Amino acid sequence: MNLTSSTGPARTCIDTGDLAADSAPGPLSDRVLFTAAPALFLGGWLLMRPIDGQSEPGGWWTAAHAVWLAGFVLFASMGLRFGRIVGARTTGQRIALTASTVIVVVSSLANIVQLVIDLVGGFTSADSAELKNAFSEVKDIPGAEALIYGVGAQLVFVGLIVFAVLAAVIRRATPGSAALVTAGTVVMAVGMGFGRNHWTVPLGMVCLLAGLALLGREVERPAAPARRRDRGPSGA
């Protein structure tokens, strides 16, 4: 958007770009939101340690999944806020912004559905065998396992990487935050190959938390000052 004011022969043109960051903030600050979501993600993993990460109904299972549910609600909220805090200017940037928003929101919703199912299963199952049987019934639904428990639930982290890199490219954030978010996701993915209880999994979560916390602090800062140019009488 161009704002032009004439005060005589010379004209001053102020180009603000599409700085969506100037919009009113949400109920949670970017810094709090970007920190709380991954912190709850890590917190849920820690709450599963007393039962060794197994499918066992009870207090620890319920607490862990309730914390994860809150975390993914915040991840979805983060995705909905992307367009406000990063002003995409080029077609490529807009495509990347839209992709990151859709991926994070839709994948977060897949996780939310999964966690609601897990909580209901935990409340209605008397033991681990019944809980696993309840999950099997859900996974037997065509497409449910891939969308809710598989790739659909994991794509949220890909969307976070896309957004972090885009924020660095537009200079709303530093390359360091994008690198931490990417490294955290890669370490978690590698760790999962050794099992959900492997020590590299929480290491990746901590790295992701550090990266998103830094990213939230950076994007919460005011955008760079608008570019200002003075034009002569001819408009040159």
Side-chain angles (χ1 to χ4, degrees):
M1 180 174 63
N2 292 322
L3 302 177
T4 306
S5 60
S6 297
T7 56
R11 293 181 298 168
T12 300
C13 178
I14 302 176
D15 184 8
T16 64
D18 296 323
L19 296 180
D22 292 336
S23 302
L28 287 177
S29 70
D30 297 324
R31 184 181 307 191
V32 171
L33 185 58
F34 277 65
T35 302
L40 290 171
F41 183 53
L42 173 61
W45 187 91
L46 293 174
L47 285 169
M48 287 290 284
R49 294 314 93 210
I51 57 175
D52 200 27
Q54 301 303 311
S55 299
E56 297 182 9
W60 291 111
W61 170 271
T62 301
H65 285 73
V67 167
W68 274 328
L69 178 60
F72 279 102
V73 168
L74 294 185
F75 275 125
S77 299
M78 283 171 54
L80 292 173
R81 194 172 291 192
F82 286 172
R84 181 184 66 78
I85 57 183
V86 170
R89 294 178 177 83
T90 68
T91 300
Q93 290 171 359
R94 292 189 183 97
I95 291 174
L97 178 60
T98 300
S100 66
T101 299
V102 171
I103 291 172
V104 170
V105 172
V106 173
S107 185
S108 294
L109 291 176
N111 279 282
I112 290 170
V113 171
Q114 176 191 147
L115 291 163
V116 169
I117 293 172
D118 289 354
L119 284 168
V120 171
F123 282 124
T124 58
S125 300
D127 53 33
S128 180
E130 283 191 17
L131 184 57
K132 290 178 180 178
N133 184 59
F135 293 158
S136 296
E137 292 178 358
V138 174
K139 292 179 180 179
D140 285 341
I141 300 173
E145 184 166 9
L147 292 174
I148 301 175
Y149 291 93
V151 63
Q154 306 303 322
L155 283 176
V156 58
F157 304 108
V158 176
L160 292 174
I161 291 174
V162 173
F163 175 74
V165 172
L166 176 62
V169 169
I170 297 178
R171 296 186 179 180
R172 287 303 314 280
T174 62
S177 58
L180 282 170
V181 171
T182 302
T185 300
V186 171
V187 171
M188 278 195 301
V190 172
M192 286 291 185
F194 296 104
R196 290 177 297 178
N197 300 326
H198 196 267
W199 64 269
T200 53
V201 175
L203 176 63
M205 291 179 177
V206 170
C207 191
L208 179 66
L209 169 58
L212 287 176
L214 176 60
L215 181 62
R217 184 176 67 181
E218 291 171 341
V219 298
E220 193 175 58
R221 295 169 182 166
R227 295 186 301 275
R228 179 169 178 159
R229 295 172 301 177
D230 290 330
R231 294 179 176 176
S234 64

PDB file of all heavy atoms in Angstrom, residues 126 134 143 171 174 186 197:
ATOM      1  N   ALA A 126     -10.645 -50.305  30.925  1.00  0.00           N
ATOM      2  CA  ALA A 126     -10.252 -50.747  32.263  1.00  0.00           C
ATOM      3  C   ALA A 126      -8.770 -51.071  32.346  1.00  0.00           C
ATOM      4  O   ALA A 126      -8.158 -50.971  33.410  1.00  0.00           O
ATOM      5  CB  ALA A 126     -11.070 -51.967  32.682  1.00  0.00           C
ATOM      6  N   ALA A 134      -9.545 -50.523  21.600  1.00  0.00           N
ATOM      7  CA  ALA A 134     -10.319 -49.347  21.181  1.00  0.00           C
ATOM      8  C   ALA A 134      -9.606 -48.605  20.058  1.00  0.00           C
ATOM      9  O   ALA A 134     -10.231 -48.147  19.094  1.00  0.00           O
ATOM     10  CB  ALA A 134     -10.547 -48.420  22.374  1.00  0.00           C
ATOM     11  N   GLY A 143      -8.409 -44.873   6.032  1.00  0.00           N
ATOM     12  CA  GLY A 143      -7.740 -43.577   6.034  1.00  0.00           C
ATOM     13  C   GLY A 143      -7.481 -42.988   7.400  1.00  0.00           C
ATOM     14  O   GLY A 143      -6.701 -42.034   7.526  1.00  0.00           O
ATOM     15  N   ARG A 171      12.886 -11.437   6.874  1.00  0.00           N
ATOM     16  CA  ARG A 171      13.622 -10.704   7.909  1.00  0.00           C
ATOM     17  C   ARG A 171      12.729 -10.250   9.054  1.00  0.00           C
ATOM     18  O   ARG A 171      12.986  -9.225   9.681  1.00  0.00           O
ATOM     19  CB  ARG A 171      14.384  -9.518   7.297  1.00  0.00           C
ATOM     20  CG  ARG A 171      15.447  -9.960   6.318  1.00  0.00           C
ATOM     21  CD  ARG A 171      16.296  -8.811   5.823  1.00  0.00           C
ATOM     22  NE  ARG A 171      17.312  -9.287   4.894  1.00  0.00           N
ATOM     23  CZ  ARG A 171      18.212  -8.503   4.289  1.00  0.00           C
ATOM     24  NH1 ARG A 171      18.200  -7.205   4.522  1.00  0.00           N
ATOM     25  NH2 ARG A 171      19.099  -9.025   3.463  1.00  0.00           N
ATOM     26  N   THR A 174      15.354 -14.274  12.688  1.00  0.00           N
ATOM     27  CA  THR A 174      16.741 -14.554  12.353  1.00  0.00           C
ATOM     28  C   THR A 174      16.887 -15.976  11.816  1.00  0.00           C
ATOM     29  O   THR A 174      16.050 -16.844  12.093  1.00  0.00           O
ATOM     30  CB  THR A 174      17.633 -14.420  13.597  1.00  0.00           C
ATOM     31  OG1 THR A 174      17.211 -15.391  14.577  1.00  0.00           O
ATOM     32  CG2 THR A 174      17.525 -13.029  14.195  1.00  0.00           C
ATOM     33  N   VAL A 186      14.158 -32.423  12.947  1.00  0.00           N
ATOM     34  CA  VAL A 186      14.980 -33.514  12.411  1.00  0.00           C
ATOM     35  C   VAL A 186      15.417 -34.459  13.524  1.00  0.00           C
ATOM     36  O   VAL A 186      15.351 -35.694  13.375  1.00  0.00           O
ATOM     37  CB  VAL A 186      16.213 -32.947  11.674  1.00  0.00           C
ATOM     38  CG1 VAL A 186      17.192 -34.068  11.313  1.00  0.00           C
ATOM     39  CG2 VAL A 186      15.782 -32.194  10.418  1.00  0.00           C
ATOM     40  N   ASN A 197      10.623 -43.556  23.242  1.00  0.00           N
ATOM     41  CA  ASN A 197      11.248 -43.310  24.545  1.00  0.00           C
ATOM     42  C   ASN A 197      12.736 -42.992  24.450  1.00  0.00           C
ATOM     43  O   ASN A 197      13.391 -42.816  25.478  1.00  0.00           O
ATOM     44  CB  ASN A 197      11.038 -44.516  25.461  1.00  0.00           C
ATOM     45  CG  ASN A 197       9.570 -44.808  25.707  1.00  0.00           C
ATOM     46  OD1 ASN A 197       8.756 -43.885  25.764  1.00  0.00           O
ATOM     47  ND2 ASN A 197       9.223 -46.069  25.841  1.00  0.00           N
TER      48      ASN A 197
END
